[in-house]
Amino acid sequence: MIRFLVRRLALTVLAVWGALSAVFCLLHSSGDPAVMMAPVGSPPEKVAQLSHALGYDRPLAEQYASFFGDALRGHFPDSLTFQQPAMDVVLQRLGATVLLASVALAGAAAAALLIGVWTGSREGGGARREWPMWLVFLTQSVPGFYIGVLLVWVFGVELAWLPTSGATTASSVLLPAVTLACGVLPPLARVFRDNLRGELARPYSRTGTALGMSRARVVRHAAYGSMLPTVTVLGLEAGALLGGTVIVESVFSWPGVGQLAITALQNQDYPLVLADLTFLIIAFVVVNLVVDLLYGVLDPRVRHQGGQSR
């Protein structure tokens, strides 16, 4: 287990290093970042002053080392828009994004289990068995922003059941969460259904049926065996949700990290953009590390293979 943990931690460090290096290269790809940050029409003296204040006039290698140190400590220049430390602004918006992503992920996971059991455990039935999965695939083919606008029109405008923007009440999270869940549900449901069918075809499931076990009990044991690959997909989607809420948060004016990124880009607030990107990168990598460790706990074979490889 220790060897498995060390290997995963090493891969995590390598992934963070590569992603942050890409962010640094992107920041300097067009030259001095201060030129982009300064207001349009600023005199060269003003641009040079801003470049010196942010440290962009130092050698590139020194900037690279300083950027890494600041990123790992969460130290960034003050936001040009909010006039406070950029990472503090990001952390202030984090709660709203975590709430939205958690509700969406929990709803998608519950729906995936129900749909997977319905379509994967029923024998025969044809279209009557598969229609929920067809409906799920239909939502996957529709852009997320279109689903969001459609939900706003139906439940917010026509029926006036739910609020359509902001985070003023507890029900405000429902429409954006459903929109996000529509993008997460298809891969979860498909993976769980396919693995459930595979587990039900294994000898232990057939033996249980032959010994007189109820169908529900056999399906329950097979469902547990189908959870391992589903947990992997769930973790990947959880990490993606933290960075994939940008469009949904913009549609519903949800005050989270995604909407903050749009605001930062519109205002050319590059310290805030850097803090936002750095946080999302590290959060995504850490979530995937947790999933890897959880996978190893649930399946000892993964720990053994991870420890023996290389």
Side-chain angles (χ1 to χ4, degrees):
M1 183 64 184
I2 294 178
R3 188 180 298 179
F4 173 79
L5 177 61
V6 169
R7 183 170 181 267
R8 289 297 186 272
L9 288 174
L11 291 175
T12 298
V13 172
L14 184 62
V16 170
W17 172 78
L20 291 180
S21 297
V23 171
F24 179 83
C25 293
L26 182 64
L27 175 66
H28 291 270
S29 60
S30 58
D32 189 350
V35 177
M36 300 297 295
M37 298 181 189
V40 178
S42 298
E45 298 80 12
K46 187 70 174 179
V47 175
Q49 183 180 3
L50 179 61
S51 179
H52 178 73
L54 296 177
Y56 293 138
D57 57 347
R58 295 179 297 174
L60 199 60
E62 186 178 342
Q63 291 186 51
Y64 181 74
S66 177
F67 169 76
F68 254 88
D70 291 342
L72 295 179
R73 293 194 307 269
H75 293 169
F76 291 90
D78 288 354
S79 166
L80 303 179
T81 305
F82 297 93
Q83 297 301 314
Q84 55 179 303
M87 186 56 73
D88 290 349
V89 179
V90 174
L91 294 178
Q92 290 170 9
R93 300 291 189 95
L94 176 61
T97 296
V98 170
L99 173 63
L100 176 59
S102 299
V103 174
L105 200 63
L113 293 180
L114 292 175
I115 293 174
V117 170
W118 175 273
T119 58
S121 63
R122 295 166 64 91
E123 298 177 352
R128 288 182 299 175
R129 182 185 67 178
E130 293 293 336
W131 70 265
M133 192 62 69
W134 294 347
L135 184 61
V136 167
F137 290 154
L138 179 63
T139 63
Q140 189 178 26
S141 63
V142 180
F145 70 88
Y146 184 82
I147 294 177
V149 172
L150 183 62
L151 291 176
V152 167
W153 176 64
V154 174
F155 295 100
V157 178
E158 295 296 328
L159 299 177
W161 287 354
L162 297 170
T164 59
S165 64
T168 54
T169 64
S171 59
S172 300
V173 73
L174 293 179
L175 291 183
V178 170
T179 304
L180 277 178
C182 287
V184 178
L185 177 58
L188 284 177
R190 182 175 64 250
V191 169
F192 181 71
R193 179 202 62 181
D194 293 345
N195 282 276
L196 179 61
R197 287 179 176 175
E199 292 295 323
L200 289 173
R202 288 180 176 272
Y204 77 88
S205 296
R206 295 197 299 267
T207 301
T209 302
L211 293 176
M213 292 177 59
S214 65
R215 181 64 176 176
R217 188 176 179 184
V218 172
V219 170
R220 185 168 64 250
H221 285 286
Y224 178 78
S226 306
M227 291 301 297
L228 294 177
T230 308
V231 166
T232 301
V233 177
L234 188 66
L236 293 175
E237 295 297 334
L241 275 183
L242 290 176
T245 58
V246 176
I247 295 177
V248 173
E249 289 185 359
S250 299
V251 170
F252 292 95
S253 299
W254 186 261
V257 176
Q259 189 189 48
L260 181 65
I262 296 296
T263 302
L265 287 172
Q266 291 174 342
N267 296 332
Q268 295 185 347
D269 191 344
Y270 284 91
L272 188 54
V273 171
L274 284 177
D276 209 328
L277 284 176
T278 300
F279 174 81
L280 292 175
I281 288 169
I282 294 178
F284 180 83
V285 173
V286 169
V287 168
N288 280 274
L289 173 63
V290 172
V291 172
D292 278 346
L293 298 179
L294 180 60
Y295 202 83
V297 170
L298 294 176
D299 190 351
R301 296 172 299 178
V302 176
R303 297 198 301 267
H304 179 73
Q305 293 171 359
Q308 293 297 327
S309 59
R310 295 182 179 85

